[in-house]
Amino acid sequence: MSLAVSVLKPLVDLVLPPRCPGCGVLVEDDLQFCGDCWNALRFISAPACTSCGKPFAQGRDDDLVCAECLAHPPLHDGIKAAVLYDDLSRSIVLRLKHGGKIGLARLVAKHLERHLPADGSDVVLVPVPLHRWRLWRRGFNQSILIARALAAKRSLKIETDVLRRTRATPPLKG
């Protein structure tokens, strides 16, 4: 299979050249940003709230929790995001969810991977489910696609039946 890919990839790239997922300009390889979009991404790194992931301007401790999470502790052990949510990251997420650009799930997974522990033997990925009607309309669950891409890179376990969506909620795109 990899021989076929190595032979056909240059032909596919000639007909459908790789484009920046942010702005669409031609780039050297798939899932690669152009320089302007790469510089515009605001990657989240320490120091950040260990509960909600919001970055702090300063901090020295590894176990910092923001005031909002202290006042109203969330019902989870912590979340991580690759980048801050802004116009660029929003456009990528919306193209994945509503534009059917499912290849962007690999891009998201690639940048989330740095938040995983080096030894992922005890990591279980639990994608957030979609309501059955939204899944039927969209045709796929983007969080499952991202989880599968992460699991494939790191040989992680995925549990898709742990959470259950019991009611339809309004879309967040607006």
Side-chain angles (χ1 to χ4, degrees):
M1 178 76 166
S2 92
L3 177 62
V5 170
S6 65
V7 170
L8 292 176
K9 184 168 178 9
L11 180 62
V12 171
D13 286 350
L14 181 66
V15 177
L16 299 168
R19 296 191 173 272
C20 172
C23 66
V25 303
L26 295 178
V27 291
E28 190 174 313
D29 206 0
D30 290 329
L31 305 178
Q32 184 179 45
F33 288 98
C34 69
D36 290 341
C37 288
W38 180 257
N39 290 331
L41 289 170
R42 297 184 300 164
F43 287 93
I44 297 174
S45 59
C49 175
T50 56
S51 185
C52 71
K54 290 180 188 172
F56 292 118
Q58 309 175 350
R60 291 184 289 243
D61 297 333
D62 290 337
D63 295 324
L64 297 172
V65 179
C66 70
E68 188 176 334
C69 289
L70 286 172
H72 305 286
L75 300 175
H76 55 71
D77 290 337
I79 59 173
K80 298 285 184 185
V83 296
L84 290 176
Y85 194 67
D86 57 15
D87 290 341
L88 177 58
S89 58
R90 180 179 189 272
S91 72
I92 292 168
V93 168
L94 291 179
R95 276 189 279 129
L96 167 60
K97 290 171 67 171
H98 304 292
K101 305 290 185 190
I102 61 174
L104 292 174
R106 290 183 302 137
L107 174 72
V108 173
K110 174 180 158 183
H111 292 289
L112 281 174
E113 185 180 10
R114 69 186 170 93
H115 290 296
L116 293 174
D119 175 25
S121 60
D122 61 346
V123 172
V124 177
L125 301 175
V126 182
V128 176
L130 292 177
H131 189 269
R132 65 180 174 265
W133 296 115
R134 186 161 301 150
L135 180 60
W136 181 76
R137 274 193 308 266
R138 192 174 295 165
F140 62 92
N141 179 339
Q142 71 281 351
S143 63
I144 290 177
L145 295 177
I146 294 167
R148 285 182 181 153
L150 268 173
K153 289 180 73 94
R154 298 284 296 274
S155 300
L156 301 174
K157 184 177 180 184
I158 302 175
E159 291 290 341
T160 58
D161 297 327
V162 173
L163 300 176
R164 189 175 63 133
R165 174 87 55 178
T166 58
R167 60 188 169 102
T169 54
L172 296 176
K173 69 180 177 179

